[in-house]
Amino acid sequence: MKNSAPAIGIIGGSGLYQMEQLRDATEHKIDTPFGPPSDVLIGGTMNGRQVYFLPRHGRSHRILPHELNHRANIYALRALNVRWIIAVTAVGSLQEKYKPRDILLPSQFYDRASLRAVHTFFGEGIVAHVSFAEPISLQLRNLLAESAKKVGVTVHNGGTYVHMDGPAFSTRAESELNRRHGFDVVGMTNVPEAKLAREAEIAMATMAMITDYDCWKVEEEPVSAEIVVSHLMANAETARKIIVDVIPQIPTEPNWVEHFALDSALITARNLWPEATVEKLKPILERFSNA
């Protein structure tokens, strides 16, 4: 199943359900040990690179944030030899300076979610604790920042994304608390992707597309689905332009620090790994198979 060339994955967020720029597009229905991903993956070429696109919420947006099978999504991408992921996600702004239709490229996360047990590939006899102090690929984030500037949008390179469960938007008390903690944007989907990408030795960076001011800005109308949707189409078109520009700048060889994340993470001795777990995680553990 694995493509011979290291590939680039695009996880499309709210409003970004397809990438018309993919050439020779083909559908890939991937079965994973963790169940089905959000949708079929669309593979194709873009500026000479192999790219796979996955709509996070499914085409036509039919999956709620807490229903997302993040393990299946990241596993399916890794099974296709994806080694870099650009994750596009809609967020609410927690600070005045981040305006709707701006882009923030998070450098940090704060996890307020309650489903952490399903946000790891490991267990069942193999213990791993990945380093997550710097949860985003710095090289990929900087490439995205440069491409965003070229496209001419307002981009903020760095900031903290606070992750909440959803599906309801924040209460005003929650929004104010997040602001007092100094967080920059709030969203419902991206932290599990970042954790799993790190375990799968994929370099990931996020384009957080701002749609609203959450609900802390009392002079603004509180966030609603209608307000969010009004900005999604513009944000999606901006994301496409940035992706097209950045793709040819991504290296062809996976030799960044994220691509070796498991070197210092695996705790269980190799001779004690259950073969069933090794087989289950074959796309992730393949380079350790002869260790």
Side-chain angles (χ1 to χ4, degrees), residues 115-179:
L115 299 171
R116 299 185 189 198
V118 293
H119 296 162
T120 179
F121 290 117
F122 290 97
E124 298 181 9
I126 304 179
V127 173
H129 299 283
V130 292
S131 174
F132 209 55
E134 301 297 335
I136 288 289
S137 169
L138 176 62
Q139 291 99 321
L140 188 53
R141 175 164 63 88
N142 286 340
L143 289 176
L144 286 170
E146 291 305 311
S147 289
K149 290 174 187 175
K150 280 198 275 184
V151 167
V153 297
T154 302
V155 60
H156 309 273
N157 190 2
T160 299
Y161 173 124
V162 57
H163 180 75
M164 61 179 284
D165 279 326
F169 294 120
S170 304
T171 67
R172 189 159 279 131
E174 290 168 336
S175 194
E176 288 290 356
L177 181 64
N178 285 332
R179 277 171 50 75

Side-chain angles (χ1 to χ4, degrees), residues 174-250:
E174 290 168 336
S175 194
E176 288 290 356
L177 181 64
N178 285 332
R179 277 171 50 75
R180 285 199 296 273
H181 280 306
F183 302 142
D184 296 298
V185 294
V186 58
M188 303 177 187
T189 59
N190 198 221
V191 168
E193 293 169 344
K195 289 181 175 179
L196 291 160
R198 182 61 54 84
E199 288 189 350
E201 298 189 318
I202 298 171
M204 195 196 90
T206 297
M207 285 198 292
M209 317 297 287
I210 295 171
T211 58
D212 56 84
Y213 279 110
D214 204 35
C215 63
W216 62 269
K217 206 167 187 286
V218 293
E219 63 269 29
E220 297 271 338
E221 185 180 352
V223 60
S224 67
E226 289 80 8
I227 292 172
V228 169
V229 169
S230 71
H231 294 297
L232 286 178
M233 297 311 294
N235 283 352
E237 185 55 35
T238 297
R240 289 187 185 97
K241 292 177 181 177
I242 295 169
I243 289 168
V244 168
D245 186 82
V246 80
I247 288 292
Q249 301 176 57
I250 296 173

